[in-house]
Amino acid sequence: MAEKVDVIIDFRGSISSISLLKTTQIFEKMKPLEIMEIRGSDSDTRHDLFKVLPESSYDVLSADAVEKEGPFHQLRIRKRP
């Protein structure tokens, strides 16, 4: 069964550096165990995100390429307590 996503951020077509800043700001405000889904146009978004969030602050739940609604990359992370 899929877990409930608490925050969805869709950065398809946006500037990567601004996207990463916004993601880190939202992530800091999230409660422990909440799930964030990040959607981006390419896999670079995922790699860049791993550079700005401390590795010990989240668990990766899934990282997939999705074809519905046009191709994009989707990453789901859970904030650690």
Side-chain angles (χ1 to χ4, degrees), residues 28-39:
E28 288 174 2
K29 294 177 183 178
M30 289 174 56
K31 296 176 185 169
L33 302 179
E34 284 190 324
I35 297 173
M36 174 186 279
E37 180 177 292
I38 301 109
R39 297 174 182 176

Side-chain angles (χ1 to χ4, degrees), residues 13 19 30 32 34 41 46 49 51-52 55-56 65 72 79:
S19 303
M30 289 174 56
E34 284 190 324
S41 298
R46 179 176 63 214
L49 181 66
K51 292 177 186 176
V52 297
E55 189 175 335
S56 62
F72 65 93
K79 187 170 185 175

Side-chain angles (χ1 to χ4, degrees), residues 5 7-14 19 23 36-43 45-46 49 64 66 68-76:
V5 175
V7 178
I8 297 175
I9 302 175
D10 192 340
F11 291 125
R12 292 177 280 179
S14 66
S19 303
T23 301
M36 174 186 279
E37 180 177 292
I38 301 109
R39 297 174 182 176
S41 298
D42 56 43
S43 60
T45 303
R46 179 176 63 214
L49 181 66
D64 305 304
V66 179
K68 67 179 184 177
E69 304 171 29
F72 65 93
H73 293 268
Q74 176 177 287
L75 173 69
R76 287 187 180 178

